[in-house]
Amino acid sequence: MQRFDAASATLGVIDIRAIDEHMGHPTLSVLRRDLQRVLLDRLGELGVVVSYGRSATEVGERGVQAWTRFEDGEEITADAVLGAEGRMSSAARRYVNPSAMPVYQGFVNWVGIAESSDLLVEDPDAIIDFWGTGSRFGIVPLGSRRVYWAGGKAMPLDAIGAPEDLRAELQAQFAEWPAVVRRIIDASARPSLRTIAVHDLEPMSCWHRGRVVLIGDAAHASLPTSGQGACQALEDAWHLARCLRHDSLDPEGAFEMFTRVREMKTRHIALAGRHLAWVRILCRERNPIGFAELGEGRIRIDRERVAF
């Protein structure tokens, strides 16, 4: 992982191979859609039915059954409901913890996928991260001719627009950045481009109520600066399955154990993601004096260094 400033001056390098050696597994870059395809293929083999285009509007319980109501009015019951709806609008989270609301953290992310018959990056094994002033641009290669990327910029929520030509807007936004950044934006198909007003959740200690449990971003959404959103959702699924297989536990007991196992780690990751957001995107200077301090689950920082 190579870090540069917006003028391509080196800020540092992290050798991920040391992590690979410690874990005994290689690091692989994969698009979310490809990972989802693998998981969906396996669900098909197991006979699990997946329904698309349906939105849950309400979740609750009756006796020893949980239920979910959809926007078309249909209601289903089950032994348990797993709320994996993400960070923004979660019917399950409204039932479990109605006061938990997503919090805008001061910056926008633009994401996309670039593909080209020409070389996009020189080293297909190196993640590249450019840090500007109040902005950043990260590149994750999927080979030399295909990359996933994310650009970020500090701005108030009401300043985030929806331009008719997002790619042209990004080309203008990063016009003075290194050539590889401009090349990748040029090679990004418009349908792959997205604008994300970045929110997270205040860390919660309660992830379940009765037979309804939250997992993934619905329970512990962290900022993309943590690099751990999908990773922690996968860890949740693995641990939750183990808890549900525990012979002595009913679903409520399994959900309680699951929360105890996972809450502290995900709390630290969420707070670390906020800290990195301040350092990478929201700070005008990279002087360590006055940088963020972690305490009481919040970030304190000298606001004079904030970019907007």
Side-chain angles (χ1 to χ4, degrees):
M1 178 180 289
Q2 303 170 347
R3 292 176 179 163
F4 304 93
D5 67 14
S8 296
T10 300
L11 296 176
V13 176
I14 297 175
D15 189 350
I16 300 176
R17 289 174 297 185
I19 301 174
D20 294 348
E21 292 172 1
H22 177 74
M23 296 298 295
H25 298 283
T27 295
L28 303 174
S29 298
V30 59
L31 290 177
R32 185 178 300 236
R33 67 190 184 196
D34 294 331
L35 174 60
Q36 288 174 333
R37 188 176 300 113
V38 172
L39 297 174
L40 288 168
D41 287 347
R42 180 58 177 153
L43 286 176
E45 294 172 3
L46 295 171
V48 176
V49 177
V50 180
S51 299
Y52 295 96
R54 308 192 72 192
S55 178
T57 58
E58 194 174 358
V59 172
E61 295 176 277
R62 297 188 192 93
V64 296
Q65 289 279 291
W67 56 267
T68 300
R69 184 175 297 121
F70 296 92
E71 61 184 354
D72 61 5
E74 183 182 358
E75 185 176 298
I76 61 172
T77 60
D79 294 328
V81 169
L82 278 57
E85 308 135 290
R87 71 187 64 208
M88 296 306 289
S89 178
S90 167
R93 190 169 64 239
R94 288 197 299 272
Y95 179 72
V96 171
N97 192 346
S99 64
M101 301 294 291
V103 181
Y104 180 61
Q105 290 297 343
F107 66 101
V108 62
N109 250 20
W110 299 288
V111 300
I113 300 168
E115 298 181 88
S116 175
S117 58
D118 300 322
L119 293 180
L120 291 174
V121 293
E122 295 180 3
D123 185 350
D125 295 322
I127 297 171
I128 308 170
D129 203 11
F130 292 97
W131 294 7
T133 302
S135 55
R136 68 173 290 266
F137 197 96
I139 302 166
V140 181
L142 301 157
S144 298
R145 294 174 171 81
R146 189 185 195 204
V147 306
Y148 166 82
W149 60 267
K153 182 178 175 65
M155 64 175 64
L157 184 59
D158 58 9
I160 300 174
E164 291 185 9
D165 189 339
L166 180 55
R167 188 168 66 179
E169 180 78 11
L170 292 171
Q171 288 167 334
Q173 179 69 47
F174 293 97
E176 303 300 322
W177 284 56
V180 64
V181 172
R182 303 194 305 271
R183 183 165 64 245
I184 283 171
I185 293 173
D186 290 345
S188 299
R190 286 184 176 86
S192 78
L193 301 177
R194 291 185 60 204
T195 300
I196 302 169
V198 180
H199 292 66
D200 68 359
L201 294 173
E202 290 290 342
M204 300 186 300
S205 59
C206 177
W207 292 8
H208 75 98
R209 176 180 172 185
R211 290 174 174 260
V212 179
V213 66
L214 308 174
I215 73 170
D217 278 355
H220 49 73
S222 59
L223 296 179
T225 43
S226 73
Q228 285 290 306
C231 298
Q232 292 310 306
L234 290 168
E235 285 192 25
D236 277 357
W238 189 84
H239 282 286
L240 181 57
R242 289 171 62 87
C243 292
L244 286 168
R245 284 198 296 263
H246 200 288
D247 291 340
S248 64
L249 297 176
D250 60 12
E252 294 186 46
F255 296 160
E256 179 64 31
M257 175 184 285
F258 166 66
T259 303
R260 290 200 306 269
V261 168
R262 297 290 295 147
E263 191 269 336
M264 187 58 68
K265 179 176 182 178
T266 57
R267 176 183 293 268
H268 285 309
I269 287 172
L271 296 178
R274 288 183 179 179
H275 173 73
L276 286 170
W278 284 108
V279 173
R280 292 187 182 185
I281 302 174
L282 300 175
C283 290
R284 286 182 176 157
E285 302 176 31
R286 293 211 160 73
N287 187 325
I289 298 173
F291 267 7
E293 300 174 8
L294 294 178
E296 302 296 324
R298 295 180 179 272
I299 299 294
R300 298 191 301 274
I301 197 164
D302 178 0
R303 291 281 174 169
E304 292 301 314
R305 298 178 185 271
V306 176
F308 58 86

